[in-house]
Amino acid sequence: MKLLEPAACDVRVPEGRLENSSGKYVKHLSDLSGLYADKAAFDTLLKRDGDKIVYEVTEHRPSNSEGDLIFGVTRLSPGKIGREYFLTRGHIHQNANRSEIYYGESGKGVMLMESPEGEVRTVAIAPRVMCYVPPYWIHRSINVGSDDLVMTFAYPADAGQDYDVIARTGGMQQRIVDDGNGSWVAIANDAYRPRSASEIDAIFKKSYDLSQCVIPSK
């Protein structure tokens, strides 16, 4: 049996990247069209600042096999659209019973999480804070600070991502916005459409083993 080779990848915190990574992707401002409530503010910023990079991910992906891990670094720029902070697209894992961890390296952020039934949790991210995203939770990173939010992450290699789970409901149930007093607050997303019972059931069936999971109550 041919074994995978061990690897060491330096985390470059000031640059927000993983050295010796096997892959990289970036998201520009235009890629986030439709995610913010204030469309006019989005269009104004895009016209003023151009299609700048909002966040980028560098990762090491040894394989996509069950039992392996994918790990890397996310760098999310500071900024706001209206009152809303810059954010990532967010996703649930395609194999929805897969978890993920994020570790704050620099900056200030919030991990916004939502259960299939629409329950919401927020975890504040800061340097040396590790955030656990349990199985079945939709999650999105948000930069609520004035500097880059840099995080390392790791998740099972066979997890996959479903980004459309958020688009299908008109966004996540809550938005993270500037409270006007130097901090952030979660407010309702007026465009949110709750998932049907069949949609919720479909998410919970996207897994290999449901027996060990405690599903949050409504």
Side-chain angles (χ1 to χ4, degrees):
M1 178 179 178
K2 177 74 172 174
L3 298 181
L4 293 170
E5 288 294 326
C9 301
D10 293 339
V11 176
R12 302 291 189 183
V13 176
E15 297 87 354
R17 71 170 186 266
L18 187 73
E19 290 288 285
N20 306 318
S21 61
S22 60
K24 174 182 177 179
Y25 66 87
V26 301
K27 291 299 171 185
H28 295 82
L29 186 59
S30 63
D31 296 319
L32 306 181
S33 177
L35 300 187
Y36 296 94
D38 193 336
K39 184 179 183 301
F42 179 89
D43 292 341
T44 297
L45 184 65
L46 184 62
K47 183 177 180 179
R48 188 191 74 192
D49 292 357
D51 201 15
K52 62 183 180 180
I53 293 175
V54 174
Y55 67 95
E56 57 186 316
V57 175
T58 44
E59 65 177 19
H60 187 66
R61 187 183 294 256
S63 77
N64 292 321
S65 300
E66 182 180 359
D68 208 346
L69 283 175
I70 296 169
F71 60 91
V73 174
T74 297
R75 184 196 63 79
L76 175 58
S77 299
K80 285 184 290 187
I81 305 292
R83 292 177 61 201
E84 282 185 85
Y85 296 96
F86 277 5
L87 47 74
T88 63
R89 288 185 299 164
H91 63 274
I92 195 171
H93 292 297
Q94 192 69 39
N95 288 320
N97 68 342
R98 300 309 196 242
S99 56
E100 188 163 1
I101 58 170
Y102 291 84
Y103 181 76
E105 299 285 0
S106 67
K108 293 172 56 179
V110 172
M111 188 64 63
L112 177 62
M113 290 177 271
E114 179 184 307
S115 74
E117 295 98 331
E119 284 192 279
V120 175
R121 302 286 188 273
T122 56
V123 172
I125 305 293
R128 294 173 295 284
V129 171
M130 184 170 285
C131 172
Y132 167 58
V133 179
Y136 300 103
W137 286 83
I138 301 157
H139 47 287
R140 160 179 282 167
S141 306
I142 300 158
N143 187 343
V144 297
S146 56
D147 301 310
D148 285 346
L149 173 64
V150 178
M151 301 178 294
T152 49
F153 63 84
Y155 61 93
D158 64 340
Q161 287 91 18
D162 176 0
Y163 295 100
D164 290 337
V165 69
I166 297 175
R168 290 192 294 268
T169 56
M172 297 183 74
Q173 190 188 81
Q174 292 188 356
R175 299 178 183 274
I176 303 298
V177 302
D178 187 343
D179 70 354
N181 295 305
S183 188
W184 59 272
V185 64
I187 63 172
N189 171 16
D190 293 337
Y192 181 77
R193 302 181 297 273
R195 296 172 186 85
S196 67
S198 61
E199 289 172 323
I200 293 169
D201 288 343
I203 290 174
F204 285 120
K205 288 177 181 177
K206 289 181 179 180
S207 64
Y208 294 128
D209 181 14
L210 297 174
S211 62
Q212 302 301 315
C213 178
V214 177
I215 299 172
S217 60
K218 294 183 179 179

